[in-house]
Amino acid sequence: MDNIAGPPVEGDNFFGREADINTLRELLEHHDLLLLGPRRIGKTSIARALMRVMREAGWRVVEINVATCDDERAFVEKLETALRQETASLGDKLWDSVGTSLNAIRARIQVIRIPVPGAGSLGVELRAAPTKDWATVASELVALIAGLDQRWLIYVDELPIMLLTRIIRGDPTTGVERVRRFLDWFRNDVRGLPGAARVRWLVSGSIGLDTLVQQHAMADTINTLRQVTLPPFSEPEVIAMLDRLGARYGLALAAADATALLAGIQWLQPYYVQLAFSELRGLLAAQPGAAPGTLIDATIEQVAQSAAYNDFHHWEKRLADQLAPATAGHARALLGQAAATREGARVELLLATLAERLPNATAEEVQRLFVDLRDILLRDGYWGANEDAEGRRYRFLLEPLRRWWLRRNTP
Ligand SMILES: Nc1ncnc2c1ncn2[C@@H]1O[C@H](COP(=O)(O)OP(=O)(O)OP(=O)(O)O)[C@@H](O)[C@H]1O
Ligand SMILES: [Mg+2]
């Protein structure tokens, strides 16, 4: 197993998660899945591991990453290309029967009409010619594969990025309506197709689609997608993972050192284990002969710093992506309080912080906003709740992120 910290991992480099894969596999029998979670928790990696399992079980599987799709047509185009590739391997006879239909659909994709942002009805009229609504064409495409005697898994990665940053941001006039239509297509049109149950969808992304649809009062549009999350590893799993990495790089950690490393990370998602292992290797290379145990604190500090310019900014940015500017500011203020100590902040202090920022709000309004933000921050993996004799505290799940956050908010 290689020490990879960043890109999706596959094959021997994919560690553990057997139970999660089994759960997803069982759920897929009857559900479409929505796998949301912060960056780097291993969504793409597990989706690919699941695809492999499903393929072995006789399913047809395709993956599309729609992060760069500017509009619905680009989405349909991407889906068509992926399905074309997959159906090409079906064998001559089946391919002959779908190939012609796919060609016809491809021609229809060319004339899909997409609303022109800000152009009003005039802009639409200018694009005369026979046009097709993207949803009709997309449904034809799905109906085509649903009609084959096969089960399908379609993995759509980064859908929230397409919906939020491309469509809602890119089209302030009708973007929200278009997103609603898109999600409605998923929920109603696709599921209404004959043979729809043969086609399963796994949608994933690092921006909270759940938060996004709540903000725009369209939570109903995703209620047929079964939400799944990736839990952190248990301590024994991480110890086993460190053993495997240690064997590969000749870096065996004593049990106490491994425990200290875990205590420094706190939130045992495999990415942070990989990152810590890689930093430890770096420190050992710079100080050959040093006992690994003497470098654990430095390793954790390194993780908090080295990730600074790429990963941790994402945690800040996704608040701004998902929430209205003022609300994102409130969330950052709460997290600023929670970052002050490893133990986190008491709920009374957090409420007082919000109240101070909202001088005109009633206590009830402050409380309601707190509960909303609290739940978003819980769901998105920023903090967890801890109960002790003195009451409830909210504390960062990932210790290196807390240190980063604290440093960023300290002048
Ligand atoms: N099962 C695993 N075994 C070992 N490492 C893993 C595993 N899952 C995730 N990782 C680690 O997490 C990193 C990111 O994985 P992946 O790209 O799958 O996450 P992601 O959630 O799709 O991220 P993004 O939101 O950035 O697309 C990998 O480079 C690896 O370090
Ligand atoms: Mg990914």
Side-chain angles (χ1 to χ4, degrees), residues 4-8 13-15 39-45 271 274:
I4 301 171
N13 293 324
F14 181 87
F15 185 88
R39 286 210 66 184
R40 305 273 196 244
I41 64 163
K43 300 177 294 294
T44 305
S45 301
Y271 172 62
Q274 299 255 23

Side-chain angles (χ1 to χ4, degrees), residues 254-267:
D257 298 340
T259 309
L261 193 67
L262 306 199
I265 301 172
Q266 290 279 318
W267 196 45

